[in-house]
Each structure stands twice: as structure tokens, then as C-alpha cells.
Amino acid sequence: MESVEQLDSDISELHARIATLKAQRANLSSVLLSQPHIAARLGDDATAKRLIDQQLKRNLENTYRACAGVTAYRVKDPDPNAVNNGDILGISIEVPVNGGFVDTYHVLFTVRDHDNLKRLGIHKHTIPSCIPLQQLANKWLPQGTRNGDNAKDRGQDLVKFGRALRKELVSWHMRLDTVQSLRSQAKLPDLLAEDDAEEDVTSAGRVLNAFVSSDASSDAEDDGGNGPVRILDIEADAAVRQVTITWSDRHKAVLVVTKDGRVEKAVCRARGGSRDVVLSAKAVGPLSGLLRRLTA
């Protein structure tokens, strides 16, 4: 007769084997339910349809997580007086631009006590100042249990905070890239390439001030409107939510850009200050096709 120790060992091995088989079954089920034609083969069975829908949703989430570039990690604050023994949670966000990635952005969090609850609070970050980081933190990482209307706040959601922050960063970089493309189409200097040796433009969130040289400006003014009309400058604010275009005939257009890169409003004025309604109407639309619409 086997000893008690031997029986316990056999039971442990059986439990381990069962866990392995369950994991294999889950993997095989995921592969099977992910097949494109499985729904047609299973017919109208309600249970099968529910399982397929759950698997498709899980596949979409996995694809997003694999491509989103948001990663959580832990670091240790070397300061001996740091709170929580220096334990810090961080997230890194990678933004793809033109087939590559810009510098990784980081947000570090510490755990703070609020109303006897543990709350994540922003400790340090490398997010550009033009990104509404604090507004996102107030929405998804509230510090108190009640908001300004004395209504109960929902709990913190770090996942949604990371998604929203990455969306802001991606849209900002896409607007930056679109403005650079417009400058290239207008044959204006590439400021990002010129200033790359001095500072990292994308991480610093600098203003795209693309003023031409004083000599070029003087030449344009001396033309007296007789030469061909050309664009002297395309500049944008730090958040790339307002773009200004200046022509050699002293026309000027001020554009309001949405977060998804569309010109929402436009005000174009002629040399004497009168409003150019036709040019203003042409400017409304995707920012990427702005020059094509204006020259049509």
C-alpha cells in the first residue's frame, strides 16, 4: 500500500496535469473560435454565437494591446525619504510616426492615501505641456471619492487613462507631421530637420515658428504684388490646434484644427483687411489636403 506522501505527490501531479490540459484546451478553443468560417459551420446556435463574439472581442483587444505601445513597469525611487519606500509604477507610451517610433514618453505614479483609500497620483512625467495630461488624470484617476457636485466619483481606471493619453499623443504627432508635410509642399524649410541637432522637437512640444529670413521677406514686399503669389510661412501653435498661413501678397489665413486633423473653422483676410469668404470656405476640410484645396 502506498504511503500518504506518495498519494499526496500523485494528487499534486494530477492537479498539475489537469491545469496543463485546461490551458491547452483554452488555447485550442481560442484558435478554433478565431477561424473566419467557424460561425457559418456552427449555424445559429446561441451558445456558439456568444462564444464566437467573446473571442472576436478578445482578439480585438489583444491586437490593440500588441500595437498600442503602452507598457506598465515598476521602478524604485533611490531617495531614502521617498513615500511608499520608493515604490513607483510607471507606464511607457510609444507613438508610431512614418513607419518609426518617436522617443518613448513616460508617466510615473505613486500611491497616495485619500479618505482611507489608496489612490494613484502622477509623480513625474515626460509628456509635452500641450497635452492635457492633468485633465485626463482628473477624469480617469480622480483623487477624491466625490467630485465638485458632491456626487460619488467612479474609481480610478489606469487602462483607460493610458489609452486616452496615447490617443492624445498620437493625434498631436500626426498633426505635427501634417504641418511639416504642408511646409514641404510649399517648399518651406524643414524646421524639424534643422533643429534636430539642437533639441528634440517632438518631445519638447515646441512651437512651429517657420518665419522666413528678413531678406526673403524684404524681397516679397518689394515685389509689390507683381510677382507670382507664393506662401511665405506656415506656422502652428504648440498643440497644432491653430495654423496660420501667410502669402506673399499679404493674404493671411488663420485655421482652427480639430484633434483628428480637420480644419474646422477658417478666417482668411486680404491685404487690406477684408475677409476672403471664398478662400475661407475652401480651407475647411482635412488638414492634409489644405494646399490642394486652396490652389484649386
Side-chain angles (χ1 to χ4, degrees), residues 43-197:
D44 298 330
D45 184 74
T47 302
K49 187 176 185 303
R50 177 177 56 83
L51 292 175
I52 292 173
D53 291 341
Q54 290 178 353
Q55 184 61 43
L56 292 177
K57 183 179 179 181
R58 189 178 298 113
N59 291 345
L60 182 61
E61 291 179 353
N62 292 339
T63 302
Y64 178 84
R65 289 173 180 172
C67 301
V70 180
T71 306
Y73 58 91
R74 291 181 179 180
V75 292
K76 195 79 171 179
D77 191 340
D79 186 356
N81 299 319
V83 296
N84 299 322
N85 297 321
D87 293 331
I88 292 178
L89 174 67
I91 60 172
S92 62
I93 301 176
E94 295 181 349
V95 180
V97 177
N98 290 331
F101 289 91
V102 299
D103 286 347
T104 304
Y105 296 98
H106 297 271
V107 182
L108 302 180
F109 303 92
T110 56
V111 178
R112 303 170 183 174
D113 292 325
H114 285 275
D115 298 332
N116 298 324
L117 294 176
K118 299 292 186 180
R119 295 279 179 166
L120 285 175
I122 296 178
H123 178 58
K124 301 284 185 181
H125 67 85
T126 61
I127 306 300
S129 58
C130 59
I131 302 298
L133 177 64
Q134 191 57 51
Q135 289 90 323
L136 295 177
N138 293 339
K139 180 177 181 180
W140 299 113
L141 302 175
Q143 297 301 302
T145 57
R146 295 187 177 274
N147 56 27
D149 299 330
N150 204 30
K152 187 175 181 181
D153 265 335
R154 53 187 169 184
Q156 294 186 324
D157 195 327
L158 184 60
V159 174
K160 290 185 178 180
F161 171 80
R163 290 176 179 174
L165 180 56
R166 182 183 180 275
K167 183 178 180 180
E168 290 283 348
L169 288 169
V170 170
S171 62
W172 176 62
H173 275 283
M174 291 184 67
R175 295 194 302 271
L176 275 176
D177 187 65
T178 302
V179 171
Q180 280 300 116
S181 177
L182 292 176
R183 290 183 58 83
S184 177
Q185 295 174 30
K187 296 181 172 56
L188 296 176
D190 188 349
L191 291 181
L192 296 181
E194 291 179 355
D195 297 340
D196 185 60

Side-chain angles (χ1 to χ4, degrees), residues 166-268:
R166 182 183 180 275
K167 183 178 180 180
E168 290 283 348
L169 288 169
V170 170
S171 62
W172 176 62
H173 275 283
M174 291 184 67
R175 295 194 302 271
L176 275 176
D177 187 65
T178 302
V179 171
Q180 280 300 116
S181 177
L182 292 176
R183 290 183 58 83
S184 177
Q185 295 174 30
K187 296 181 172 56
L188 296 176
D190 188 349
L191 291 181
L192 296 181
E194 291 179 355
D195 297 340
D196 185 60
E198 299 178 3
E199 61 177 350
D200 188 354
V201 177
T202 54
S203 61
R206 64 183 296 278
V207 179
L208 290 175
N209 284 324
F211 292 109
V212 295
S213 65
S214 57
D215 294 338
S217 300
S218 301
D219 294 341
E221 292 178 359
D222 293 341
D223 286 342
N226 297 324
V229 178
R230 58 189 178 88
I231 294 177
L232 294 181
D233 186 24
I234 299 177
E235 59 177 339
D237 62 350
V240 198
R241 299 299 302 275
Q242 180 172 302
V243 177
T244 303
I245 303 177
T246 305
W247 283 268
S248 59
D249 61 353
R250 297 189 181 180
H251 270 71
K252 178 173 285 190
V254 179
L255 318 173
V256 177
V257 183
T258 62
K259 288 185 178 181
D260 59 354
R262 289 186 59 86
V263 178
E264 184 180 31
K265 299 178 182 179
V267 176
C268 302

